[in-house]
Amino acid sequence: MSCKTVLASKVSASFRDQIKKDIKERDIHPKLVGFLANEDPAAMKYAEWTAKTCAETGVDFELRKVSKLELEEKITEANEDASVNGIMVYYPVFGGKQDLYLQSCVSELKDVEGLCHKFVHNVYHNIRYMDKEETMKCIIPCTPLAIVKILEFIGAYNPVIPYGNRLYGRTIAVINRSEIVGRPLAAMLANDGAKVYSVDINGIQLFTRGTGIHLKAHKVEDTDATLEQVIPQCDVVITGVPTPKYKLSTSLLKDGVIAINFSSFANFEDDVKTRASIFVPSVGKVTVAMLERNLLRLYDYQNNLTEKNKQ
Amino acid sequence: MSCKTVLASKVSASFRDQIKKDIKERDIHPKLVGFLANEDPAAMKYAEWTAKTCAETGVDFELRKVSKLELEEKITEANEDASVNGIMVYYPVFGGKQDLYLQSCVSELKDVEGLCHKFVHNVYHNIRYMDKEETMKCIIPCTPLAIVKILEFIGAYNPVIPYGNRLYGRTIAVINRSEIVGRPLAAMLANDGAKVYSVDINGIQLFTRGTGIHLKAHKVEDTDATLEQVIPQCDVVITGVPTPKYKLSTSLLKDGVIAINFSSFANFEDDVKTRASIFVPSVGKVTVAMLERNLLRLYDYQNNLTEKNKQ
């Protein structure tokens, strides 16, 4: 079989090495606080990974277990505590709209997950800097960012094309349109030039920057297309369906497809490697590396070390 | 029967007269844009009310029908259009978390509904001004504000008690804990000193400022209480269950209770007046008056007419 399986640990290794080196050479001690307010075993596992990775790279990670009802107050305290450089929350907490409210309660300067309204808004509008002077790059939501980094690693981005358009010519499906991962991811890939089919149970939307990528940022259109029509066209298929029952039929995949799964369940069938050129079974370790990367960036912003000041 | 039915039109009259007088005397033409991106008949009805009331009071109301997918862009255009003083959106649009995202896309200075993150956050934290100098009062979400104004009108607020604590001693149930109405309303009533039971299908929470209202803002606790235990204790019962099937049993109500319904369906039984001292069957007209009130406030902020500058 000619399919190459790429593990998240392989993709994350160079990021982690760089972060470790940076922290050591600069002799800094960035502190990340993770709030756990649920009993979700997936969140606990993710917290354990975060703790382990942070310990290895020199980040001071502290897990704070709190009740749902005291979480907002604890976030506010951490926002105001100068010894805390980054804040993350293991979602879901309440599970509905109240979680989106909580995401925006984290201070912009400490939001390592990139989930507050400003950062998400900037992703949709292809705004890449926090400030008008363009000295502070925006924080990008971690999981979508991790998937972009994986796509770069495995060659889906074409470095010959100018920066910002490097997915031009690519057709990508993202099966998941959550506010935390799927929708921002579809927007980011379209902003980078791809034609993106965003799939969820309510239907399929098309995210593009238009013919000849003539738009500055993507637009979204509803389509009547079915999964059966769309998937065979796609160079890259990215799945994130949060149930063990969902399996995308291998028979729909284009021969030589790049298949990436970010769900904690296996969304591709066991025989996916008979069709795929590259298969990435999970992304979690890259997500944690991106968390740390965002933390270092925010550490610098908090200490006024913007790109301008560093020069 | 000794129950007094208080209609929203009666409560809104004095507000509308004041707004009309203000607009006429100052010879201003504040413009409110309403975005309709759904086919919900309740939203359409609300839009018609808004148009009618605005025409009567001198507000220039424009209804813009747009598709769901172009809504965000249209909001951004209105944010940047100096001729627009206020923006409102008829929810639901997408129905889930994406609607909360949209709420924060409306500029703070044009958010007549008071639904962007900053205003909602300030409601929860009992922060009453937008600025540190305390020259600009916060915009309060319209429907919760309308219910507060109704409670003042019908004497549930005690003006003998200092401002900010005027519900001290009152026990209130709010049956609905949505992010748009029920949760902020429970917080506002608790911030004003009441003991508030916030009820939804997931359970009953208690919002209070603690014994002797010793806290600056409310705290929230989970309870194991049932509706049967809670409702008979309440001086005021406020319902907002969005289904015609829901009926709160009159037999649970304390004799002499104040009963307020903000659902577009009748949540109280037909015989509610056999127990209630005051019954308010709907609140919509007061909500529209509050929209206009918020619009005038934002008009002033946009024109630098803060309380300080007016003096």
Side-chain angles (χ1 to χ4, degrees):
Chain A
M1 232 182 301
S2 61
C3 179
K4 188 179 166 91
T5 299
V6 175
L7 298 179
S9 54
K10 178 125 190 239
V11 184
S12 64
S14 67
F15 292 107
R16 290 182 52 203
D17 289 348
Q18 186 57 47
I19 291 162
K20 197 171 169 176
K21 191 163 160 272
D22 254 30
I23 289 175
K24 202 176 171 186
E25 282 181 3
R26 295 171 61 191
D27 191 24
I28 58 176
H29 305 278
K31 179 168 180 173
L32 174 60
V33 169
F35 286 106
L36 186 64
N38 66 31
E39 306 288 328
D40 181 358
M44 195 62 220
K45 193 179 167 191
Y46 184 31
E48 281 164 11
W49 271 359
T50 318
K52 190 167 166 285
T53 309
C54 286
E56 284 166 11
T57 46
V59 166
D60 179 10
F61 178 75
E62 185 185 326
L63 184 66
R64 297 184 182 172
K65 293 187 188 180
V66 299
S67 74
K68 288 178 173 45
L69 291 178
E70 66 183 354
L71 175 57
E72 183 179 348
E73 194 185 339
K74 297 296 178 188
I75 290 173
T76 305
E77 282 172 17
N79 281 340
E80 290 163 1
D81 177 353
S83 75
V84 176
N85 302 108
I87 297 170
M88 64 173 302
V89 176
Y90 295 95
Y91 292 103
V93 176
F94 295 97
K97 288 183 181 173
Q98 204 172 338
D99 283 5
L100 214 74
Y101 169 80
L102 282 172
Q103 284 167 219
S104 282
C105 288
V106 175
S107 161
E108 270 165 37
L109 279 175
K110 300 194 175 179
D111 181 14
V112 293
E113 294 185 285
L115 292 177
C116 71
H117 181 78
K118 181 173 176 173
F119 292 141
V120 175
H121 182 268
N122 287 353
V123 159
Y124 290 125
H125 295 267
N126 208 5
I127 297 169
R128 304 208 175 193
Y129 289 89
M130 286 171 75
D131 55 339
K132 281 184 184 164
E133 297 74 29
E134 303 201 341
T135 65
M136 298 193 289
K137 276 193 177 167
C138 284
I139 299 301
I140 308 284
C142 281
T143 303
L145 179 61
I147 293 168
V148 165
K149 293 296 171 188
I150 289 168
L151 288 169
E152 286 179 345
F153 184 91
I154 63 185
Y157 274 70
N158 183 348
V160 173
I161 299 176
Y163 173 79
N165 294 348
R166 289 179 175 167
L167 290 177
Y168 188 31
R170 292 285 192 179
T171 302
I172 303 179
V174 179
I175 307 180
N176 169 302
R177 196 159 60 234
S178 69
E179 288 299 295
I180 282 192
V181 187
R183 196 164 80 92
L185 176 62
M188 286 163 64
L189 300 178
N191 286 341
D192 281 338
K195 177 177 173 179
V196 182
Y197 289 107
S198 167
V199 180
D200 82 356
I201 46 169
N202 298 315
I204 299 182
Q205 294 179 343
L206 179 61
F207 288 52
T208 73
R209 277 173 53 203
T211 308
I213 47 172
H214 68 276
L215 300 169
K216 197 177 155 280
H218 75 283
K219 61 174 181 177
V220 183
E221 293 162 278
D222 277 321
T223 77
D224 292 326
T226 63
L227 204 67
E228 290 68 25
Q229 290 165 338
V230 159
I231 297 296
Q233 301 172 38
C234 292
D235 308 302
V236 180
V237 175
I238 303 169
T239 57
V241 186
T243 156
K245 287 177 199 154
Y246 185 85
K247 295 287 174 193
L248 180 66
S249 171
T250 301
S251 66
L252 289 178
L253 298 171
K254 175 172 163 173
D255 195 34
V257 74
I258 294 172
I260 300 176
N261 175 54
F262 69 83
S263 170
S264 45
F265 302 100
N267 289 166
F268 291 101
E269 292 182 323
D270 289 341
D271 65 352
V272 63
K273 294 194 223 176
T274 60
R275 284 286 173 95
S277 59
I278 296 174
F279 174 52
V280 184
S282 71
V283 311
K285 286 183 181 173
V286 188
T287 301
V288 176
M290 292 304 112
L291 264 183
E292 291 189 279
R293 196 166 174 266
N294 286 345
L295 176 70
L296 283 186
R297 192 163 276 175
L298 290 170
Y299 179 93
D300 286 347
Y301 297 167
Q302 288 159 27
N303 292 284
N304 254 319
L305 296 169
T306 59
E307 279 165 53
K308 200 176 166 188
N309 294 338
K310 271 191 205 169
Q311 283 164 6
Chain B
M1 234 182 301
S2 59
C3 179
K4 188 179 168 91
T5 299
V6 175
L7 298 179
S9 54
K10 177 127 193 234
V11 184
S12 63
S14 66
F15 292 106
R16 290 181 52 205
D17 290 346
Q18 185 58 47
I19 292 162
K20 198 171 171 179
K21 190 163 160 271
D22 253 31
I23 289 176
K24 202 176 172 188
E25 283 182 1
R26 295 171 59 190
D27 191 24
I28 57 176
H29 304 278
K31 180 168 178 172
L32 174 61
V33 168
F35 286 106
L36 185 65
N38 66 31
E39 306 289 328
D40 182 356
M44 195 61 218
K45 193 178 168 192
Y46 185 30
E48 282 163 10
W49 271 1
T50 317
K52 189 167 169 284
T53 308
C54 285
E56 286 166 8
T57 44
V59 166
D60 179 10
F61 178 75
E62 185 184 328
L63 184 65
R64 297 185 182 170
K65 292 186 187 181
V66 300
S67 74
K68 287 177 173 46
L69 291 178
E70 66 183 354
L71 175 58
E72 182 178 350
E73 196 185 335
K74 297 297 178 188
I75 290 173
T76 305
E77 283 171 17
N79 281 340
E80 289 162 3
D81 179 352
S83 76
V84 176
N85 302 107
I87 298 170
M88 63 173 302
V89 176
Y90 294 95
Y91 294 103
V93 176
F94 295 97
K97 287 183 182 174
Q98 205 171 335
D99 283 4
L100 214 73
Y101 168 80
L102 283 171
Q103 285 167 220
S104 283
C105 288
V106 176
S107 161
E108 269 164 37
L109 279 176
K110 300 194 175 178
D111 181 13
V112 292
E113 294 184 286
L115 292 177
C116 72
H117 181 78
K118 182 175 175 173
F119 291 142
V120 176
H121 181 269
N122 287 354
V123 159
Y124 289 126
H125 295 269
N126 207 5
I127 296 169
R128 305 209 173 190
Y129 289 88
M130 287 171 76
D131 56 339
K132 280 185 184 162
E133 297 74 29
E134 303 201 340
T135 65
M136 297 194 288
K137 275 193 177 167
C138 285
I139 299 300
I140 307 285
C142 279
T143 303
L145 179 60
I147 293 168
V148 164
K149 293 297 173 189
I150 289 167
L151 288 170
E152 286 178 346
F153 184 90
I154 62 184
Y157 275 71
N158 182 351
V160 173
I161 299 176
Y163 174 79
N165 294 348
R166 288 179 176 167
L167 290 176
Y168 188 31
R170 292 284 192 180
T171 302
I172 302 179
V174 179
I175 307 180
N176 169 303
R177 197 159 60 236
S178 68
E179 289 298 296
I180 284 192
V181 187
R183 196 164 78 94
L185 176 61
M188 285 163 64
L189 300 179
N191 285 341
D192 280 338
K195 177 175 173 180
V196 182
Y197 289 107
S198 167
V199 180
D200 82 355
I201 46 169
N202 298 314
I204 299 181
Q205 293 179 342
L206 179 61
F207 288 52
T208 72
R209 278 173 56 203
T211 309
I213 47 173
H214 68 277
L215 300 168
K216 196 175 154 286
H218 75 283
K219 62 174 182 178
V220 183
E221 293 161 278
D222 277 321
T223 76
D224 293 327
T226 64
L227 205 66
E228 290 68 26
Q229 290 165 337
V230 159
I231 296 297
Q233 300 173 40
C234 292
D235 308 302
V236 180
V237 175
I238 303 170
T239 57
V241 185
T243 158
K245 286 177 200 154
Y246 185 85
K247 296 287 175 192
L248 180 65
S249 171
T250 301
S251 66
L252 288 177
L253 298 171
K254 175 171 159 173
D255 194 35
V257 75
I258 293 173
I260 300 177
N261 176 54
F262 69 84
S263 171
S264 45
F265 302 100
N267 288 167
F268 290 100
E269 292 182 322
D270 289 340
D271 65 351
V272 62
K273 293 195 223 175
T274 60
R275 284 287 174 96
S277 57
I278 296 175
F279 174 51
V280 184
S282 72
V283 310
K285 288 183 181 172
V286 187
T287 301
V288 176
M290 293 304 112
L291 266 182
E292 292 189 279
R293 196 166 176 266
N294 286 345
L295 176 70
L296 284 186
R297 191 164 276 176
L298 289 169
Y299 180 93
D300 286 346
Y301 296 168
Q302 289 159 26
N303 291 286
N304 254 322
L305 296 169
T306 60
E307 279 167 53
K308 201 177 166 187
N309 294 338
K310 273 194 208 170
Q311 283 163 3

